[in-house]
Amino acid sequence: KNVTTIKRSASGVLFTQVGARSGFEYLTIDGNSLSGVVVTFSGGTDYAYQFMNFVRVHGSSSSVVTFAADTGNEFRAYGCEFATSGALGFVGAVAVVATDTAACARLFTSCGGAGSTLYDFSGANDTFITGGYTNGIITSATTSKLMINNLRIGAAGGTQTLRGENLVFEGCVWATAVVLQCTDSIFNCIVPGWDITDNGTGNSVFIKSRLYTPAWTASATNPSLGNGTIRGRWSRSGNIVNAQIDIRFDSTTTYGNGIWFFSLPAPVDLDALVPIANFGSGITQGTGAGQEYLLAPRASNSGQYLELFAITTAGTLINITSSTKTWAAGGNLRFQLNYYTT
């Protein structure tokens, strides 16, 4: 690689590779900054795979290596460098053209993108990636069974949005925030500030403890925090969320009217067998006349918020509201909870 070079002299595909047990080793394929794909793969079946070992393919603003849909089955690349000058986040150096109609395994080990977006597997079904570096990954709703581990993803491509189904990301390190639009997937990776937003369904996500600011509202007139403080902290393991909320009232805090609600960091899964199981406990404490209460949170408002309940000395279940007791500066409302998210 980088010693033996084959250079393209005209636009268009330089190599079209068809057939089993064929491949490239120890060389550079230079697209010479001309337009079009440099190498395309087609054919290849299980146990008769195609390969690239220690190969550099570069020199085009388009994808430099492409696979036709349902081809390149059992393709294997090791120690390769695939580089495109195409726009980060929009052009992948390696891409699947169209959409696979069946599982078509393609394996990449210790490959790099030389600062470009390395993979565009928008239509891929069954891809395995281990190690390497890229400045982005492109997926789509038709991506399925994409399994990636120990990959470093740079920040040049901006916030990453992952789409598709049955995706697995394990042990990767991202330099930017990640948004999950995928379904039935696993995401267990390091992201700056644990800034992971799960807008999908059925995902198993791991998020270390991070801060958030809960919204405090009421059923009639919303309260106002004033010079008081409200803090939230939460973490997620799989589909179980653990959250803590601490509100401290101060001299300019107003308490509104009606039942109080507090926003959750992730929605409650209302389809769970018991959507409020292990939903936690809390306490009112500090100044303010009247009884102090042990609290029991419950999901409300389509799982986006929670409301609080307490049991009086008479054994009556009551909502925690603006008028449950005389709230005053120096008082606290603290609780923690665990619940299933979607």
Side-chain angles (χ1 to χ4, degrees), residues 51-67:
F51 60 90
M52 276 189 162
N53 294 326
F54 301 103
V55 173
R56 182 182 184 214
V57 188
H58 71 108
S60 178
S61 59
S62 66
S63 300
V64 294
V65 175
T66 63
F67 297 87

Side-chain angles (χ1 to χ4, degrees), residues 179-222:
V179 177
L180 304 179
Q181 297 281 19
C182 47
T183 60
D184 300 325
S185 299
I186 297 173
F187 189 88
N188 184 11
C189 301
I190 297 173
V191 173
W194 302 100
D195 190 1
I196 304 166
T197 302
D198 181 13
N199 292 330
T201 58
N203 294 322
S204 178
V205 182
F206 297 84
I207 303 176
K208 188 180 177 181
S209 179
R210 59 182 296 196
L211 299 175
Y212 87 107
T213 301
W216 177 31
T217 57
S219 58
T221 303
N222 287 335

Side-chain angles (χ1 to χ4, degrees), residues 7-82:
K7 180 177 288 188
R8 182 170 59 176
S9 60
S11 298
V13 179
L14 178 60
F15 285 102
T16 299
Q17 185 176 3
V18 180
R21 302 181 185 90
S22 57
F24 298 93
E25 289 187 318
Y26 302 103
L27 60 93
T28 292
I29 303 174
D30 184 353
N32 201 19
S33 300
L34 299 169
S35 63
V37 176
V38 182
V39 180
T40 65
F41 284 89
S42 60
T45 59
D46 291 342
Y47 310 112
Y49 59 86
Q50 300 154 320
F51 60 90
M52 276 189 162
N53 294 326
F54 301 103
V55 173
R56 182 182 184 214
V57 188
H58 71 108
S60 178
S61 59
S62 66
S63 300
V64 294
V65 175
T66 63
F67 297 87
D70 298 317
T71 65
N73 198 16
E74 290 294 335
F75 171 86
R76 302 179 189 184
Y78 181 81
C80 294
E81 181 182 332
F82 305 109

Side-chain angles (χ1 to χ4, degrees), residues 292-309:
E292 306 295 341
Y293 294 104
L294 292 174
L295 306 175
R298 185 184 75 175
S300 63
N301 293 9
S302 301
Q304 301 292 330
Y305 287 77
L306 61 87
E307 55 186 308
L308 301 174
F309 290 85

Side-chain angles (χ1 to χ4, degrees), residues 236-260:
R236 178 172 170 178
S237 179
N239 64 341
I240 298 177
V241 172
N242 179 280
Q244 299 175 324
I245 296 177
D246 179 6
I247 180 169
R248 179 179 177 84
F249 310 124
D250 215 323
S251 59
T252 61
T253 301
T254 59
Y255 305 96
N257 289 288
I259 300 169
W260 285 347

